[in-house]
Amino acid sequence: MYLSATDHRIPLSDGNSIPIIGLGTFSEPKLTSKGMCAASVKTAIDVGYRHFDGAYVYQNEHEVGEAIREKMAEGKVQREDIFYCGKLWTTYHEPEMVRPSLERTLRVLQLDYVDLYIIELPMAFKALEACKDAGLVKSLGVSNFNRRQLELILNKPGLRHKPVSNQVECHPYFTQEKLLKFCRQHDIVLVAYSPLGTSRNPFWVNVSSPPLLKDALLNSVGKKYNKTAAQVVLRFNIQRGVVVIPKSFNSARIKENFQIFDFSLTEEEMKDIEALNKNVRFVELLMWCDHPEYPFHEEY
Ligand code: A2P
């Protein structure tokens, strides 16, 4: 797979494509000053990012839209260069709430369509199919689905638009081998959230597992290529066709995370990094563990 800073889209099963690296935009609203998100998205566009991962519930979607529109007005990018992924929050699964939720995202962004819209639990897909038919969204995907939940949707009688992607936690300590294999078999692109091992906020992250970026092997591989552990971790995933969406609102790190197209890992290094897998999630979403569709009780 040839990937470069200017050419790194990979195909989706519905004929669209997705840039293999995107900027994550979730940042604890109480701890983030106004304008940080917009400034970061603008920096990222200047650096070469074209993919942005956001959501209405992040409370900064308007800043993402503002930054994209400003860069379009400057002539730096056109709408079709940009890939925006929005999310249907769990409390909006009722079919009649789906389109209004997507339309609210479009209003907040002040854009005509989003490139990808993803849902968290296996409901509401029918209403989303209608949104795709109406041109409000180019591609439909899901997030945090386990194999059974993916099968549920794939086997749904009358399904017209298959999910093109599944956004899940994925990095060298949680490599998702089995889910990745299943997704590949079904033409579903895996999108890795928390690809750097997250912000380690103890309110929602299991911090008992050691920090990924301190890993000795990742740092020693990085030394060989004059790269950081973060760059090695991102390269590992894109080299196996997994889309990464590292969040950063720091311009030096936004740049750092994009410098992953000028080196490649050997097959042996890929294997060694894969072997770091601990099968332990940083993001367990335990507050929902007694929900009947909580996705993480099953093996994958
Ligand atoms: P910041 O926004 O200050 O850069 P993930 O995407 O895995 O959830 O990780 C996001 C966290 O990692 C954020 O706290 C972000 O902070 C930090 N981060 C982003 N890029 C890097 C990097 N290259 N090295 C170290 N930390 C990073």
mmCIF file with all atom_site columns, all heavy atoms in Angstrom, residues 233-253:
data_model
loop_
_atom_site.group_PDB
_atom_site.id
_atom_site.type_symbol
_atom_site.label_atom_id
_atom_site.label_alt_id
_atom_site.label_comp_id
_atom_site.label_asym_id
_atom_site.label_entity_id
_atom_site.label_seq_id
_atom_site.pdbx_PDB_ins_code
_atom_site.Cartn_x
_atom_site.Cartn_y
_atom_site.Cartn_z
_atom_site.occupancy
_atom_site.B_iso_or_equiv
_atom_site.pdbx_formal_charge
_atom_site.auth_seq_id
_atom_site.auth_comp_id
_atom_site.auth_asym_id
_atom_site.auth_atom_id
_atom_site.pdbx_PDB_model_num
ATOM 1   N N   . VAL A 1 233 ? 4.084   4.092  16.730 1.00 0.00 ? 233 VAL A N   1
ATOM 2   C CA  . VAL A 1 233 ? 2.774   3.516  17.030 1.00 0.00 ? 233 VAL A CA  1
ATOM 3   C C   . VAL A 1 233 ? 1.769   3.824  15.902 1.00 0.00 ? 233 VAL A C   1
ATOM 4   O O   . VAL A 1 233 ? 0.994   2.957  15.482 1.00 0.00 ? 233 VAL A O   1
ATOM 5   C CB  . VAL A 1 233 ? 2.310   4.124  18.381 1.00 0.00 ? 233 VAL A CB  1
ATOM 6   C CG1 . VAL A 1 233 ? 0.836   4.018  18.554 1.00 0.00 ? 233 VAL A CG1 1
ATOM 7   C CG2 . VAL A 1 233 ? 3.033   3.455  19.533 1.00 0.00 ? 233 VAL A CG2 1
ATOM 8   N N   . LEU A 1 234 ? 1.798   5.044  15.416 1.00 0.00 ? 234 LEU A N   1
ATOM 9   C CA  . LEU A 1 234 ? 0.868   5.427  14.334 1.00 0.00 ? 234 LEU A CA  1
ATOM 10  C C   . LEU A 1 234 ? 1.257   4.714  13.040 1.00 0.00 ? 234 LEU A C   1
ATOM 11  O O   . LEU A 1 234 ? 0.402   4.228  12.296 1.00 0.00 ? 234 LEU A O   1
ATOM 12  C CB  . LEU A 1 234 ? 0.876   6.947  14.140 1.00 0.00 ? 234 LEU A CB  1
ATOM 13  C CG  . LEU A 1 234 ? 0.375   7.754  15.356 1.00 0.00 ? 234 LEU A CG  1
ATOM 14  C CD1 . LEU A 1 234 ? 0.560   9.250  15.121 1.00 0.00 ? 234 LEU A CD1 1
ATOM 15  C CD2 . LEU A 1 234 ? -1.095  7.449  15.658 1.00 0.00 ? 234 LEU A CD2 1
ATOM 16  N N   . ARG A 1 235 ? 2.571   4.659  12.777 1.00 0.00 ? 235 ARG A N   1
ATOM 17  C CA  . ARG A 1 235 ? 3.045   3.992  11.554 1.00 0.00 ? 235 ARG A CA  1
ATOM 18  C C   . ARG A 1 235 ? 2.649   2.509  11.565 1.00 0.00 ? 235 ARG A C   1
ATOM 19  O O   . ARG A 1 235 ? 2.245   1.947  10.552 1.00 0.00 ? 235 ARG A O   1
ATOM 20  C CB  . ARG A 1 235 ? 4.568   4.148  11.443 1.00 0.00 ? 235 ARG A CB  1
ATOM 21  C CG  . ARG A 1 235 ? 5.189   3.482  10.232 1.00 0.00 ? 235 ARG A CG  1
ATOM 22  C CD  . ARG A 1 235 ? 4.873   4.215  8.943  1.00 0.00 ? 235 ARG A CD  1
ATOM 23  N NE  . ARG A 1 235 ? 4.861   3.321  7.805  1.00 0.00 ? 235 ARG A NE  1
ATOM 24  C CZ  . ARG A 1 235 ? 4.652   3.702  6.552  1.00 0.00 ? 235 ARG A CZ  1
ATOM 25  N NH1 . ARG A 1 235 ? 4.450   4.975  6.247  1.00 0.00 ? 235 ARG A NH1 1
ATOM 26  N NH2 . ARG A 1 235 ? 4.642   2.831  5.573  1.00 0.00 ? 235 ARG A NH2 1
ATOM 27  N N   . PHE A 1 236 ? 2.789   1.888  12.716 1.00 0.00 ? 236 PHE A N   1
ATOM 28  C CA  . PHE A 1 236 ? 2.419   0.476  12.869 1.00 0.00 ? 236 PHE A CA  1
ATOM 29  C C   . PHE A 1 236 ? 0.992   0.259  12.366 1.00 0.00 ? 236 PHE A C   1
ATOM 30  O O   . PHE A 1 236 ? 0.719   -0.648 11.583 1.00 0.00 ? 236 PHE A O   1
ATOM 31  C CB  . PHE A 1 236 ? 2.552   0.082  14.340 1.00 0.00 ? 236 PHE A CB  1
ATOM 32  C CG  . PHE A 1 236 ? 1.858   -1.196 14.714 1.00 0.00 ? 236 PHE A CG  1
ATOM 33  C CD1 . PHE A 1 236 ? 2.364   -2.422 14.309 1.00 0.00 ? 236 PHE A CD1 1
ATOM 34  C CD2 . PHE A 1 236 ? 0.680   -1.175 15.472 1.00 0.00 ? 236 PHE A CD2 1
ATOM 35  C CE1 . PHE A 1 236 ? 1.712   -3.603 14.650 1.00 0.00 ? 236 PHE A CE1 1
ATOM 36  C CE2 . PHE A 1 236 ? 0.035   -2.344 15.815 1.00 0.00 ? 236 PHE A CE2 1
ATOM 37  C CZ  . PHE A 1 236 ? 0.553   -3.560 15.401 1.00 0.00 ? 236 PHE A CZ  1
ATOM 38  N N   . ASN A 1 237 ? 0.079   1.097  12.803 1.00 0.00 ? 237 ASN A N   1
ATOM 39  C CA  . ASN A 1 237 ? -1.316  0.904  12.411 1.00 0.00 ? 237 ASN A CA  1
ATOM 40  C C   . ASN A 1 237 ? -1.558  1.229  10.942 1.00 0.00 ? 237 ASN A C   1
ATOM 41  O O   . ASN A 1 237 ? -2.221  0.461  10.241 1.00 0.00 ? 237 ASN A O   1
ATOM 42  C CB  . ASN A 1 237 ? -2.248  1.731  13.307 1.00 0.00 ? 237 ASN A CB  1
ATOM 43  C CG  . ASN A 1 237 ? -2.943  0.875  14.358 1.00 0.00 ? 237 ASN A CG  1
ATOM 44  O OD1 . ASN A 1 237 ? -3.069  -0.340 14.192 1.00 0.00 ? 237 ASN A OD1 1
ATOM 45  N ND2 . ASN A 1 237 ? -3.390  1.486  15.426 1.00 0.00 ? 237 ASN A ND2 1
ATOM 46  N N   . ILE A 1 238 ? -1.036  2.348  10.450 1.00 0.00 ? 238 ILE A N   1
ATOM 47  C CA  . ILE A 1 238 ? -1.345  2.670  9.045  1.00 0.00 ? 238 ILE A CA  1
ATOM 48  C C   . ILE A 1 238 ? -0.701  1.647  8.118  1.00 0.00 ? 238 ILE A C   1
ATOM 49  O O   . ILE A 1 238 ? -1.255  1.339  7.071  1.00 0.00 ? 238 ILE A O   1
ATOM 50  C CB  . ILE A 1 238 ? -0.985  4.126  8.630  1.00 0.00 ? 238 ILE A CB  1
ATOM 51  C CG1 . ILE A 1 238 ? 0.509   4.364  8.549  1.00 0.00 ? 238 ILE A CG1 1
ATOM 52  C CG2 . ILE A 1 238 ? -1.669  5.139  9.534  1.00 0.00 ? 238 ILE A CG2 1
ATOM 53  C CD1 . ILE A 1 238 ? 0.854   5.667  7.816  1.00 0.00 ? 238 ILE A CD1 1
ATOM 54  N N   . GLN A 1 239 ? 0.439   1.100  8.536  1.00 0.00 ? 239 GLN A N   1
ATOM 55  C CA  . GLN A 1 239 ? 1.103   0.118  7.679  1.00 0.00 ? 239 GLN A CA  1
ATOM 56  C C   . GLN A 1 239 ? 0.295   -1.174 7.556  1.00 0.00 ? 239 GLN A C   1
ATOM 57  O O   . GLN A 1 239 ? 0.459   -1.919 6.619  1.00 0.00 ? 239 GLN A O   1
ATOM 58  C CB  . GLN A 1 239 ? 2.503   -0.154 8.226  1.00 0.00 ? 239 GLN A CB  1
ATOM 59  C CG  . GLN A 1 239 ? 3.476   -0.578 7.153  1.00 0.00 ? 239 GLN A CG  1
ATOM 60  C CD  . GLN A 1 239 ? 4.919   -0.538 7.634  1.00 0.00 ? 239 GLN A CD  1
ATOM 61  O OE1 . GLN A 1 239 ? 5.375   0.480  8.149  1.00 0.00 ? 239 GLN A OE1 1
ATOM 62  N NE2 . GLN A 1 239 ? 5.640   -1.636 7.473  1.00 0.00 ? 239 GLN A NE2 1
ATOM 63  N N   . ARG A 1 240 ? -0.599  -1.425 8.523  1.00 0.00 ? 240 ARG A N   1
ATOM 64  C CA  . ARG A 1 240 ? -1.480  -2.596 8.360  1.00 0.00 ? 240 ARG A CA  1
ATOM 65  C C   . ARG A 1 240 ? -2.888  -2.179 7.953  1.00 0.00 ? 240 ARG A C   1
ATOM 66  O O   . ARG A 1 240 ? -3.850  -2.917 8.107  1.00 0.00 ? 240 ARG A O   1
ATOM 67  C CB  . ARG A 1 240 ? -1.470  -3.484 9.598  1.00 0.00 ? 240 ARG A CB  1
ATOM 68  C CG  . ARG A 1 240 ? -1.748  -2.767 10.874 1.00 0.00 ? 240 ARG A CG  1
ATOM 69  C CD  . ARG A 1 240 ? -1.522  -3.666 12.079 1.00 0.00 ? 240 ARG A CD  1
ATOM 70  N NE  . ARG A 1 240 ? -2.324  -3.136 13.175 1.00 0.00 ? 240 ARG A NE  1
ATOM 71  C CZ  . ARG A 1 240 ? -2.954  -3.859 14.084 1.00 0.00 ? 240 ARG A CZ  1
ATOM 72  N NH1 . ARG A 1 240 ? -2.884  -5.153 14.064 1.00 0.00 ? 240 ARG A NH1 1
ATOM 73  N NH2 . ARG A 1 240 ? -3.669  -3.290 15.017 1.00 0.00 ? 240 ARG A NH2 1
ATOM 74  N N   . GLY A 1 241 ? -2.991  -0.962 7.413  1.00 0.00 ? 241 GLY A N   1
ATOM 75  C CA  . GLY A 1 241 ? -4.259  -0.532 6.816  1.00 0.00 ? 241 GLY A CA  1
ATOM 76  C C   . GLY A 1 241 ? -5.289  -0.035 7.816  1.00 0.00 ? 241 GLY A C   1
ATOM 77  O O   . GLY A 1 241 ? -6.468  0.082  7.483  1.00 0.00 ? 241 GLY A O   1
ATOM 78  N N   . VAL A 1 242 ? -4.850  0.250  9.031  1.00 0.00 ? 242 VAL A N   1
ATOM 79  C CA  . VAL A 1 242 ? -5.775  0.753  10.047 1.00 0.00 ? 242 VAL A CA  1
ATOM 80  C C   . VAL A 1 242 ? -5.680  2.284  10.081 1.00 0.00 ? 242 VAL A C   1
ATOM 81  O O   . VAL A 1 242 ? -4.587  2.839  10.176 1.00 0.00 ? 242 VAL A O   1
ATOM 82  C CB  . VAL A 1 242 ? -5.437  0.150  11.435 1.00 0.00 ? 242 VAL A CB  1
ATOM 83  C CG1 . VAL A 1 242 ? -6.250  0.804  12.541 1.00 0.00 ? 242 VAL A CG1 1
ATOM 84  C CG2 . VAL A 1 242 ? -5.675  -1.356 11.418 1.00 0.00 ? 242 VAL A CG2 1
ATOM 85  N N   . VAL A 1 243 ? -6.823  2.938  9.987  1.00 0.00 ? 243 VAL A N   1
ATOM 86  C CA  . VAL A 1 243 ? -6.873  4.407  10.026 1.00 0.00 ? 243 VAL A CA  1
ATOM 87  C C   . VAL A 1 243 ? -6.621  4.866  11.465 1.00 0.00 ? 243 VAL A C   1
ATOM 88  O O   . VAL A 1 243 ? -7.141  4.260  12.403 1.00 0.00 ? 243 VAL A O   1
ATOM 89  C CB  . VAL A 1 243 ? -8.265  4.902  9.557  1.00 0.00 ? 243 VAL A CB  1
ATOM 90  C CG1 . VAL A 1 243 ? -8.391  6.416  9.705  1.00 0.00 ? 243 VAL A CG1 1
ATOM 91  C CG2 . VAL A 1 243 ? -8.517  4.489  8.101  1.00 0.00 ? 243 VAL A CG2 1
ATOM 92  N N   . VAL A 1 244 ? -5.824  5.917  11.635 1.00 0.00 ? 244 VAL A N   1
ATOM 93  C CA  . VAL A 1 244 ? -5.546  6.429  12.988 1.00 0.00 ? 244 VAL A CA  1
ATOM 94  C C   . VAL A 1 244 ? -6.072  7.848  13.138 1.00 0.00 ? 244 VAL A C   1
ATOM 95  O O   . VAL A 1 244 ? -6.017  8.640  12.197 1.00 0.00 ? 244 VAL A O   1
ATOM 96  C CB  . VAL A 1 244 ? -4.023  6.421  13.293 1.00 0.00 ? 244 VAL A CB  1
ATOM 97  C CG1 . VAL A 1 244 ? -3.519  5.003  13.460 1.00 0.00 ? 244 VAL A CG1 1
ATOM 98  C CG2 . VAL A 1 244 ? -3.218  7.160  12.217 1.00 0.00 ? 244 VAL A CG2 1
ATOM 99  N N   . ILE A 1 245 ? -6.573  8.156  14.328 1.00 0.00 ? 245 ILE A N   1
ATOM 100 C CA  . ILE A 1 245 ? -7.092  9.514  14.566 1.00 0.00 ? 245 ILE A CA  1
ATOM 101 C C   . ILE A 1 245 ? -6.543  10.062 15.882 1.00 0.00 ? 245 ILE A C   1
ATOM 102 O O   . ILE A 1 245 ? -7.298  10.321 16.822 1.00 0.00 ? 245 ILE A O   1
ATOM 103 C CB  . ILE A 1 245 ? -8.640  9.538  14.539 1.00 0.00 ? 245 ILE A CB  1
ATOM 104 C CG1 . ILE A 1 245 ? -9.230  8.404  15.400 1.00 0.00 ? 245 ILE A CG1 1
ATOM 105 C CG2 . ILE A 1 245 ? -9.173  9.411  13.122 1.00 0.00 ? 245 ILE A CG2 1
ATOM 106 C CD1 . ILE A 1 245 ? -10.753 8.558  15.633 1.00 0.00 ? 245 ILE A CD1 1
ATOM 107 N N   . PRO A 1 246 ? -5.219  10.267 15.947 1.00 0.00 ? 246 PRO A N   1
ATOM 108 C CA  . PRO A 1 246 ? -4.655  10.794 17.199 1.00 0.00 ? 246 PRO A CA  1
ATOM 109 C C   . PRO A 1 246 ? -5.184  12.185 17.486 1.00 0.00 ? 246 PRO A C   1
ATOM 110 O O   . PRO A 1 246 ? -5.242  13.018 16.596 1.00 0.00 ? 246 PRO A O   1
ATOM 111 C CB  . PRO A 1 246 ? -3.147  10.852 16.905 1.00 0.00 ? 246 PRO A CB  1
ATOM 112 C CG  . PRO A 1 246 ? -3.054  10.995 15.414 1.00 0.00 ? 246 PRO A CG  1
ATOM 113 C CD  . PRO A 1 246 ? -4.213  10.186 14.883 1.00 0.00 ? 246 PRO A CD  1
ATOM 114 N N   . LYS A 1 247 ? -5.574  12.398 18.744 1.00 0.00 ? 247 LYS A N   1
ATOM 115 C CA  . LYS A 1 247 ? -6.017  13.749 19.130 1.00 0.00 ? 247 LYS A CA  1
ATOM 116 C C   . LYS A 1 247 ? -4.801  14.538 19.602 1.00 0.00 ? 247 LYS A C   1
ATOM 117 O O   . LYS A 1 247 ? -4.005  14.050 20.405 1.00 0.00 ? 247 LYS A O   1
ATOM 118 C CB  . LYS A 1 247 ? -7.045  13.662 20.259 1.00 0.00 ? 247 LYS A CB  1
ATOM 119 C CG  . LYS A 1 247 ? -7.502  15.020 20.786 1.00 0.00 ? 247 LYS A CG  1
ATOM 120 C CD  . LYS A 1 247 ? -6.678  15.508 21.955 1.00 0.00 ? 247 LYS A CD  1
ATOM 121 C CE  . LYS A 1 247 ? -7.006  16.933 22.380 1.00 0.00 ? 247 LYS A CE  1
ATOM 122 N NZ  . LYS A 1 247 ? -6.164  17.360 23.539 1.00 0.00 ? 247 LYS A NZ  1
ATOM 123 N N   . SER A 1 248 ? -4.651  15.746 19.107 1.00 0.00 ? 248 SER A N   1
ATOM 124 C CA  . SER A 1 248 ? -3.715  16.679 19.729 1.00 0.00 ? 248 SER A CA  1
ATOM 125 C C   . SER A 1 248 ? -4.186  18.093 19.462 1.00 0.00 ? 248 SER A C   1
ATOM 126 O O   . SER A 1 248 ? -4.638  18.402 18.358 1.00 0.00 ? 248 SER A O   1
ATOM 127 C CB  . SER A 1 248 ? -2.297  16.496 19.191 1.00 0.00 ? 248 SER A CB  1
ATOM 128 O OG  . SER A 1 248 ? -1.478  17.454 19.833 1.00 0.00 ? 248 SER A OG  1
ATOM 129 N N   . PHE A 1 249 ? -4.087  18.931 20.468 1.00 0.00 ? 249 PHE A N   1
ATOM 130 C CA  . PHE A 1 249 ? -4.358  20.356 20.291 1.00 0.00 ? 249 PHE A CA  1
ATOM 131 C C   . PHE A 1 249 ? -3.063  21.142 20.509 1.00 0.00 ? 249 PHE A C   1
ATOM 132 O O   . PHE A 1 249 ? -3.076  22.294 20.887 1.00 0.00 ? 249 PHE A O   1
ATOM 133 C CB  . PHE A 1 249 ? -5.445  20.828 21.283 1.00 0.00 ? 249 PHE A CB  1
ATOM 134 C CG  . PHE A 1 249 ? -6.858  20.426 20.895 1.00 0.00 ? 249 PHE A CG  1
ATOM 135 C CD1 . PHE A 1 249 ? -7.939  20.777 21.692 1.00 0.00 ? 249 PHE A CD1 1
ATOM 136 C CD2 . PHE A 1 249 ? -7.117  19.713 19.731 1.00 0.00 ? 249 PHE A CD2 1
ATOM 137 C CE1 . PHE A 1 249 ? -9.244  20.421 21.344 1.00 0.00 ? 249 PHE A CE1 1
ATOM 138 C CE2 . PHE A 1 249 ? -8.413  19.338 19.383 1.00 0.00 ? 249 PHE A CE2 1
ATOM 139 C CZ  . PHE A 1 249 ? -9.481  19.695 20.189 1.00 0.00 ? 249 PHE A CZ  1
ATOM 140 N N   . ASN A 1 250 ? -1.937  20.457 20.289 1.00 0.00 ? 250 ASN A N   1
ATOM 141 C CA  . ASN A 1 250 ? -0.632  21.096 20.456 1.00 0.00 ? 250 ASN A CA  1
ATOM 142 C C   . ASN A 1 250 ? 0.047   21.091 19.090 1.00 0.00 ? 250 ASN A C   1
ATOM 143 O O   . ASN A 1 250 ? 0.200   20.030 18.479 1.00 0.00 ? 250 ASN A O   1
ATOM 144 C CB  . ASN A 1 250 ? 0.156   20.273 21.486 1.00 0.00 ? 250 ASN A CB  1
ATOM 145 C CG  . ASN A 1 250 ? 1.611   20.659 21.534 1.00 0.00 ? 250 ASN A CG  1
ATOM 146 O OD1 . ASN A 1 250 ? 2.376   20.358 20.619 1.00 0.00 ? 250 ASN A OD1 1
ATOM 147 N ND2 . ASN A 1 250 ? 1.995   21.326 22.597 1.00 0.00 ? 250 ASN A ND2 1
ATOM 148 N N   . SER A 1 251 ? 0.451   22.261 18.594 1.00 0.00 ? 251 SER A N   1
ATOM 149 C CA  . SER A 1 251 ? 0.858   22.292 17.181 1.00 0.00 ? 251 SER A CA  1
ATOM 150 C C   . SER A 1 251 ? 2.100   21.444 16.913 1.00 0.00 ? 251 SER A C   1
ATOM 151 O O   . SER A 1 251 ? 2.200   20.817 15.861 1.00 0.00 ? 251 SER A O   1
ATOM 152 C CB  . SER A 1 251 ? 1.006   23.715 16.654 1.00 0.00 ? 251 SER A CB  1
ATOM 153 O OG  . SER A 1 251 ? 1.831   24.446 17.484 1.00 0.00 ? 251 SER A OG  1
ATOM 154 N N   . ALA A 1 252 ? 3.037   21.390 17.860 1.00 0.00 ? 252 ALA A N   1
ATOM 155 C CA  . ALA A 1 252 ? 4.235   20.567 17.622 1.00 0.00 ? 252 ALA A CA  1
ATOM 156 C C   . ALA A 1 252 ? 3.842   19.089 17.499 1.00 0.00 ? 252 ALA A C   1
ATOM 157 O O   . ALA A 1 252 ? 4.342   18.371 16.630 1.00 0.00 ? 252 ALA A O   1
ATOM 158 C CB  . ALA A 1 252 ? 5.229   20.753 18.757 1.00 0.00 ? 252 ALA A CB  1
ATOM 159 N N   . ARG A 1 253 ? 2.904   18.658 18.363 1.00 0.00 ? 253 ARG A N   1
ATOM 160 C CA  . ARG A 1 253 ? 2.508   17.236 18.312 1.00 0.00 ? 253 ARG A CA  1
ATOM 161 C C   . ARG A 1 253 ? 1.583   16.945 17.127 1.00 0.00 ? 253 ARG A C   1
ATOM 162 O O   . ARG A 1 253 ? 1.597   15.847 16.580 1.00 0.00 ? 253 ARG A O   1
ATOM 163 C CB  . ARG A 1 253 ? 1.884   16.820 19.646 1.00 0.00 ? 253 ARG A CB  1
ATOM 164 C CG  . ARG A 1 253 ? 2.925   16.732 20.758 1.00 0.00 ? 253 ARG A CG  1
ATOM 165 C CD  . ARG A 1 253 ? 2.386   16.086 22.015 1.00 0.00 ? 253 ARG A CD  1
ATOM 166 N NE  . ARG A 1 253 ? 1.499   16.955 22.769 1.00 0.00 ? 253 ARG A NE  1
ATOM 167 C CZ  . ARG A 1 253 ? 1.889   17.862 23.660 1.00 0.00 ? 253 ARG A CZ  1
ATOM 168 N NH1 . ARG A 1 253 ? 3.176   18.021 23.918 1.00 0.00 ? 253 ARG A NH1 1
ATOM 169 N NH2 . ARG A 1 253 ? 1.012   18.612 24.310 1.00 0.00 ? 253 ARG A NH2 1
#
